[in-house]
Amino acid sequence: MPRRRTSSSSSSTGNPTGGPAAGAAAPRNRTPQPVRVRRRTFGDFVKAFLAFVALLVLVVGVPLALAMTAGWPLPSSFEPMEWLKKDLSVSTFLDILTFVVWLAWAQFTACVLVETKAALSGVGVPGRVPGAGPSQLLARQLVAALLLVGAAAGSFTPGLSQLGQSLEGNQRPTVAAAQQTPGIFAQQQEQAAGTAAALAEQASQAAAHADAGGGGAKRQGDTKFYRIQPPEGRHHDSLWEIAERHLGDGRRYKEIFDLNKDRIQPDGSKLSEASLIRPGWIMEMPGDARGGDLVEMPDEAPEVSPEVRQQIHDYAKTGDHARGSGDHAQGSGGGAAHVSVPEQRPAPAPENSGHRQQPAPQHAVPAQDASSFGLPEALLAAPLLAAGLLGALGHRRRQALWQSAFGGIGGRRGMEPPTPAGDAQDAQDALLVGADPEGVRLLDRSLRGLAASLAAESRPLPTVYAAWLSNGDLHLQLAQPSGKPPTPWQLGQDQTFWMLAKDDAERYEDVDTAAPYPGLVSLGTMDGSRLLLNLESVPGIVSLSGRADDRAAVFASVAAELATNGWSDRMTITLVGFGEDLTALAPSRLRHLDGIEALLETMEAETRQRRGALGAAGHDSVLTGRTGPAQHTRWAPHLVLLAAEPSAEDALRLAELAADAGRLGIGYLVGTESGDLPGAAWEMEITGEGKLLAPLLGLELDAQLLPAAQQRAVVELFVEADPERGPDGPGNTPPFLVDISEQGRPAVYARLVGPYEIIGLDAPDGERSALLHEALALLLLHREGVHPRVLSSALWPRGVTDDVREALVERLRAWLGTDPDGTPRLGTDDTGRLTLAKSVVSDLDVLRSLYYEATQGRGVDSRAVRGRLLTDALVLVRGPLLADRPEGRYRWLTHEIIDAQLPLLVADTGLALSAFHMEKNRAEKAIEALDAALRTAPADERLWNELLRATHALGDPERLTALAADLIGRSGARGLPPRTEALLDELLPTWRDAVAAAG
């Protein structure tokens, strides 16, 4: 039996009638049967009559009225100079108004003609009349009402012509979807609801008739077939041309391919690729195929030879029932993808913290208002993208610190990363405010936990078209029903939705399994839910139309999130036609190609390689490869982002490559000017207002964008932090230095290195003490200034109102007080960022200043001063940063690199003091300094190597052997680092034997 849009039907409904058990194989659609035409009611004729009257008045009455009353508004002769000399009068304005009315009439008449042609032909989508959105919609409704009593009413509105073709999986779900998604293309849904309900009634009657007549058995006479024609000259038949001739749209060739894939042909071969068809093959056609004598119905076409008729009869027996459950396992085998919005649970009540809270960042889409303080809204409204960029940026900066500290980069010594300015600083602040790392962590753990649970039950991963984040819950939209999900997952609004509540997701822990859906990427939000599209699972190309700048913002957002997200292990992202500078975000993931020809060559080779690898491994798709016995292969996805519209020939080659891409883990997002792209499974459009539209999918999203200005700012952050930049890069950023003399005693002194203490201020009241202390710590760690939005998002990750934030800032200002000259110790700089006066100092500031003075200041010329400064600096180290901070607070520290800066600063101080003592052969003093530094930086290899040298200088082999044994015990299974092992070979050649003898 033919597979008729199985993905679409199953994604719209699960088992509404309570069919097979959840664990059973996916239900299959019956072959379409003749639909009994419902008798037209009196109301239908009334609507048709009124529509006829309205069309008659608008198309005929308006021009007649204009001709009789106003006449033709333009002059009879063409004399522009005479027109300009005439005086402006009331008649001039009336002529202009009359001309506008004539233009509006002409546009509406064109819409009526276009909609009438589409309705009567019954194939294809009505063409768009430029600039006639409302007019064309009105014309469509009037023509639909007029023809509702005729035979062509199934094709009035785009997509409605398909509603009557599937009996169980398409009609009733369409009505249900319209009820479940209020506000989503509401006008179109209301327009379609009446016709959809009528078609659903007809479909249910036909289904009952089919069940009564043979238990759902197929009647061959109701299915159409096409026989591939022999070539004529250089012209060869193709599925694209067949679809264009008989389905009205060449892009529907995929439907023909899905209906006939892997079925035995008369010559014994099978259809495996859409581009490889042979003369004499039989193609089963979708139910709405028509045109000419090439679409054959053998029982009603006596001109067909008996041999061909028998071939068609035999071929008709190789439909869905011959495939068994293989399609269920494959998941992405065919049909049109469909996405609908999940039903939302009520949002959880806000925490009782004494103030009103805003929604969590992952759900909120900030409005353009004064509260943004000029920060880029595109980054504020993209919590998952911001979290990925912020995490990747922090990793990049830590790499630069470590390479600098270990001498890997000659021109980048120093502990302070470059301080961004201008747009880059605004972008960094927006990332800090908008990021939702907790949401990323839960999403990653939830998906990996699901994969581990399914693998434990020996179940394949279901094909997932999209994920929705709604009120903290995660909804996965499956390509088709896949049984009951493993605990704690549960079925959503139907069997194509698996849902995981936020409370259940928080119980997941890290598991060692491959990321199951690394191709998920955020597209935008709708009705409080955030959509993540799984690019690698869409059965075909995803096309994006719209203005070039708007498309570029979408492409940049998709590329940046895919390159830095936290729910993927590894992948390849190929950028064509844009984004060469974006490769700085993740050089290991992103690659840029110059043109589409290079892309096609690359993808043709990779497609062949992946097909062969899957076949050799015995997998039907990359999903089974990620969770099966060969899980180590990981089957990383390859996602292609093509911003430049391909030529017609290249588009066909791309469509052929994408026909089987979902099974291979390859996804395509392609830009187009016209919106008409061969092989496009999903067609989307980005508007100038930032809306991402997919009418056939029922989606109208507030698009997630990364405009050009923000893209440049983000790239600048990554380029400045690149550890591979040479000496020509930016110089060292000097630390914030304080006066370490007796005259520079601060008014307020905070001890952050170790337990948190504040000297010089009265303790605030108990209720506000924790918030004020945390705010002061954040400001002390950012002497360059903190944006008010960054401060509030750090203290209240779930969001807070403006009045609460402003009240806290005022309390903090009052608590810190003023300097003797009346200057507030908490001020605001020219950019609106909060800054501390120099009279407010932390021990970390003093530690940095002492080390800087000892190594680059007064200590360079005075050995005694250098020794005293380094000793004073090491005394300040009392433990890790904010050692006694309360649980659940200071979560913003995960975004900081102070956890890497402080150990490196302490290690550098210990090394410098050790070298100071070794100059005078005071090995014991050097060992004391190194031991003190190791208490804060126990993993620093440089400290252990200097400790070995200082111990060797004592001339005590037994002590050196004991130290070597201690090092081996600490290194564990990894063994000693190569440098340390080489140093031991130099200092104690017999260390291996001595350590072994010592036990």
Side-chain angles (χ1 to χ4, degrees):
M1 290 185 294
R3 294 179 295 173
R4 187 65 33 79
R5 295 184 176 273
T6 55
S7 297
S8 176
S9 59
S10 62
S11 65
S12 299
T13 184
N15 189 3
T17 59
R28 299 190 300 270
N29 294 335
R30 296 183 180 88
T31 302
Q33 302 295 330
V35 177
R36 296 177 181 176
V37 179
R38 181 177 65 89
R39 289 190 176 185
R40 307 307 178 191
T41 65
F42 178 77
D44 293 334
F45 288 97
V46 171
K47 291 179 182 178
F49 175 76
L50 294 177
F52 173 77
V53 172
L55 286 172
L56 189 64
V57 170
L58 293 173
V59 177
V60 180
V62 169
L64 288 178
L66 288 173
M68 294 175 62
T69 59
W72 185 247
L74 296 180
S76 58
S77 61
F78 184 78
E79 296 178 356
M81 296 305 298
E82 293 296 325
W83 298 350
L84 294 175
K85 294 177 182 179
K86 288 184 178 181
D87 295 333
L88 293 177
S89 62
V90 175
S91 62
T92 304
F93 287 104
L94 289 177
D95 288 343
I96 294 175
L97 180 61
T98 302
F99 181 73
V100 172
V101 176
W102 274 107
L103 286 180
W105 169 83
Q107 185 187 59
F108 179 79
T109 303
C111 295
V112 172
L113 294 176
V114 169
E115 294 297 328
T116 303
K117 177 182 179 297
L120 292 176
S121 65
V123 295
V125 175
R128 297 178 181 177
V129 178
S135 297
Q136 189 162 6
L137 179 59
L138 175 61
R140 183 177 309 164
Q141 293 171 336
L142 292 175
V143 172
L146 179 60
L147 298 183
L148 184 61
V149 295
S155 59
F156 301 152
T157 306
L160 289 182
S161 60
Q162 306 300 324
L163 293 175
Q165 295 177 13
S166 177
L167 299 180
E168 295 178 347
N170 212 7
Q171 272 56 250
R172 286 183 287 256
T174 304
V175 181
Q179 297 169 349
Q180 292 168 358
T181 56
I184 307 166
F185 274 81
Q187 188 174 14
Q188 294 186 14
Q189 290 177 358
E190 291 173 5
Q191 174 189 350
T195 306
L199 291 172
E201 179 183 349
Q202 298 173 36
S204 63
Q205 294 173 359
H209 174 75
D211 289 337
K218 177 180 177 179
R219 288 168 44 188
Q220 293 180 3
D222 298 325
T223 304
K224 303 176 184 179
F225 295 89
Y226 173 79
R227 194 164 185 265
I228 304 299
Q229 301 301 302
E232 297 180 5
R234 294 188 176 183
H235 175 76
H236 293 260
D237 224 344
S238 69
L239 292 186
W240 178 273
E241 292 181 343
I242 296 169
E244 197 167 47
R245 289 197 304 268
H246 303 298
L247 299 176
D249 189 349
R251 292 174 295 178
R252 294 182 63 187
Y253 82 95
K254 186 68 162 54
E255 297 177 35
I256 306 175
F257 175 75
D258 292 334
L259 286 173
N260 298 276
K261 182 183 178 184
D262 295 332
R263 295 171 65 177
I264 303 296
Q265 294 290 336
D267 61 0
S269 55
K270 297 180 181 180
L271 173 66
S272 59
E273 295 190 29
S275 59
L276 301 179
I277 58 176
R278 302 177 184 175
W281 278 10
I282 308 297
M283 293 289 114
E284 183 175 340
M285 302 291 289
D288 61 337
R290 64 186 65 192
D293 58 356
L294 301 180
V295 177
E296 305 292 355
M297 301 168 63
D299 293 336
E300 302 175 10
E303 68 276 6
V304 177
S305 67
E307 179 183 359
V308 173
R309 189 181 307 178
Q310 185 60 44
Q311 289 178 355
I312 294 177
H313 275 288
D314 294 340
Y315 184 76
K317 298 176 182 179
T318 64
D320 279 356
H321 65 277
R323 292 187 178 90
S325 60
D327 293 334
H328 175 67
Q330 180 173 332
S332 61
H338 183 76
V339 166
S340 58
V341 180
E343 293 179 341
Q344 299 187 33
R345 303 191 310 165
E351 297 175 1
N352 184 16
S353 56
H355 58 266
R356 292 177 288 117
Q357 291 192 337
Q358 294 174 336
Q362 71 181 49
H363 312 133
V365 181
Q368 181 71 35
D369 54 35
S371 64
S372 66
F373 288 96
L375 296 182
E377 292 287 346
L379 296 174
L380 294 175
L384 303 184
L385 168 62
L389 288 172
L390 201 58
L393 181 62
H395 178 71
R396 182 74 57 86
R397 286 173 171 171
R398 287 180 177 87
Q399 279 186 312
L401 277 175
W402 292 327
Q403 292 195 23
S404 176
F406 283 84
I409 304 297
R412 284 291 301 272
R413 298 290 297 180
M415 293 294 103
E416 301 301 315
T419 301
D423 291 342
Q425 187 177 19
D426 290 340
Q428 177 175 276
D429 288 341
L431 294 178
L432 290 167
V433 174
D436 182 19
E438 182 67 12
V440 171
R441 184 183 67 86
L442 290 179
L443 176 62
D444 181 45
R445 287 186 173 183
S446 300
L447 295 176
R448 293 181 194 268
L450 173 64
S453 299
L454 289 172
E457 298 176 8
S458 299
R459 294 172 58 186
L461 278 170
T463 300
V464 169
Y465 280 150
W468 292 89
L469 291 173
S470 176
N471 292 332
D473 300 336
L474 173 61
H475 303 256
L476 297 183
Q477 184 163 358
L478 313 184
Q480 59 187 18
S482 297
K484 183 179 180 181
T487 306
W489 291 78
Q490 53 188 300
L491 287 175
Q493 63 196 48
D494 58 46
Q495 292 190 25
T496 61
F497 275 97
W498 284 4
M499 191 272 286
L500 181 67
K502 182 180 180 182
D503 294 340
D504 295 328
E506 290 174 344
R507 294 201 295 266
Y508 268 119
E509 297 181 355
D510 293 330
V511 292
D512 184 19
T513 189
Y517 304 113
L520 286 170
V521 63
S522 303
L523 291 185
T525 58
M526 181 168 64
D527 294 341
S529 298
R530 183 170 301 277
L531 170 65
L532 288 85
L533 174 65
N534 190 4
L535 278 180
E536 69 166 333
S537 73
V538 177
I541 293 173
V542 179
S543 69
L544 178 66
S545 61
R547 296 187 311 178
D549 291 346
D550 298 328
R551 294 203 316 267
V554 174
F555 273 99
S557 170
V558 170
E561 184 169 300
L562 288 173
T564 61
N565 72 45
W567 54 87
S568 303
D569 295 320
R570 58 189 180 92
M571 65 174 68
T572 299
I573 307 156
T574 299
L575 312 180
V576 184
F578 82 106
E580 185 173 4
D581 57 337
L582 287 173
T583 56
L585 272 58
S588 61
R589 284 193 183 185
L590 289 169
R591 68 175 179 180
H592 179 268
L593 295 181
D594 293 331
I596 191 172
E597 189 60 36
L599 170 69
L600 291 172
E601 293 179 3
T602 301
M603 298 315 299
E604 285 172 352
E606 181 163 345
T607 299
R608 288 193 300 268
Q609 187 272 333
R610 290 203 175 208
R611 283 179 181 150
L614 279 177
H619 299 309
D620 51 9
S621 76
V622 295
L623 292 179
T624 53
R626 286 178 186 154
T627 57
Q631 188 183 130
H632 61 278
T633 58
R634 299 287 167 154
W635 298 106
H638 186 166
L639 305 176
V640 176
L641 308 182
L642 174 59
E645 182 171 14
S647 65
E649 181 181 354
D650 291 337
L652 287 176
R653 292 174 63 187
L654 202 62
E656 293 178 0
L657 288 172
D660 197 28
R663 186 176 69 90
L664 304 176
I666 303 174
Y668 295 88
L669 177 62
V670 182
T672 172
E673 293 284 348
S674 61
D676 188 10
L677 193 68
W682 287 8
E683 295 180 343
M684 299 187 297
E685 177 187 0
I686 179 66
T687 70
E689 294 74 31
K691 296 289 185 181
L692 191 65
L693 309 180
L696 297 181
L697 301 175
L699 297 177
E700 183 178 5
L701 303 171
D702 293 318
Q704 178 171 295
L705 307 172
L706 187 59
Q710 281 75 61
Q711 177 182 331
R712 289 191 296 269
V714 168
V715 169
E716 181 181 342
L717 289 173
F718 279 80
V719 171
E720 291 295 321
D722 188 359
E724 300 299 329
R725 297 195 73 191
D728 294 336
N732 298 335
T733 301
F736 173 75
L737 301 178
V738 299
D739 186 354
I740 55 177
S741 66
E742 286 294 328
Q743 293 75 23
R745 185 178 298 274
V748 178
Y749 182 67
R751 305 178 73 181
L752 305 180
V753 185
Y756 191 3
E757 299 178 16
I758 297 179
I759 302 171
L761 289 178
D762 296 331
D765 58 60
E767 182 181 354
R768 301 187 180 98
S769 177
L771 279 174
L772 293 175
H773 278 75
E774 187 173 357
L776 179 57
L778 178 62
L779 290 166
L780 285 167
L781 292 177
H782 290 276
R783 302 305 304 226
E784 73 278 7
V786 176
H787 196 285
R789 286 287 302 269
V790 175
L791 178 66
S792 63
S793 66
L795 301 180
W796 294 285
R798 292 182 57 84
V800 72
T801 56
D802 293 347
D803 55 342
V804 173
R805 177 187 63 241
E806 292 167 2
L808 174 79
V809 172
E810 290 305 317
R811 291 192 193 99
L812 183 60
R813 183 175 282 113
W815 181 44
L816 291 175
T818 59
D819 285 333
D821 60 359
T823 304
R825 292 174 182 149
L826 177 62
T828 304
D829 64 10
D830 295 338
T831 65
R833 288 170 172 81
L834 301 172
T835 58
L836 291 174
K838 292 186 176 182
S839 58
V840 182
V841 173
S842 72
D843 55 353
L844 186 58
D845 298 328
V846 177
L847 176 60
R848 287 170 173 155
S849 300
L850 288 170
Y851 177 75
Y852 184 86
E853 281 292 325
T855 57
Q856 301 183 52
R858 292 176 296 154
V860 173
D861 300 324
S862 172
R863 171 181 166 80
V865 171
R866 182 168 72 253
R868 176 175 58 82
L869 293 174
L870 290 173
T871 302
D872 291 344
L874 210 54
V875 169
L876 291 175
V877 181
R878 301 175 297 125
L881 188 75
L882 299 168
D884 58 351
R885 59 181 179 267
E887 184 178 357
R889 303 207 67 90
Y890 297 86
R891 293 181 179 178
W892 47 269
L893 281 172
T894 58
H895 299 318
E896 306 287 339
I897 62 169
I898 186 63
D899 60 335
Q901 286 177 303
L902 181 59
L904 288 175
L905 177 60
V906 172
D908 282 353
T909 304
L911 290 170
L913 187 56
S914 172
F916 170 80
H917 290 303
M918 290 300 294
E919 289 175 1
K920 296 296 185 179
N921 295 321
R922 296 198 292 262
E924 286 290 356
K925 290 288 187 180
I927 291 173
E928 290 179 9
L930 294 169
D931 284 338
L934 279 168
R935 286 194 287 270
T936 300
D940 197 306
E941 181 186 354
R942 299 172 301 163
L943 290 174
W944 289 105
N945 290 346
E946 290 304 315
L947 185 60
L948 286 172
R949 292 189 179 94
T951 304
H952 175 264
L954 294 175
D956 188 346
E958 293 184 0
R959 188 169 176 179
L960 184 60
T961 301
L963 178 59
D966 184 26
L967 272 174
I968 293 173
R970 290 173 180 269
S971 61
R974 294 175 300 177
L976 293 175
R979 291 183 181 180
T980 304
E981 192 170 334
L983 180 60
L984 272 175
D985 287 336
E986 175 188 347
L987 301 180
L988 188 64
T990 61
W991 68 274
R992 291 180 175 84
D993 296 335
V995 169

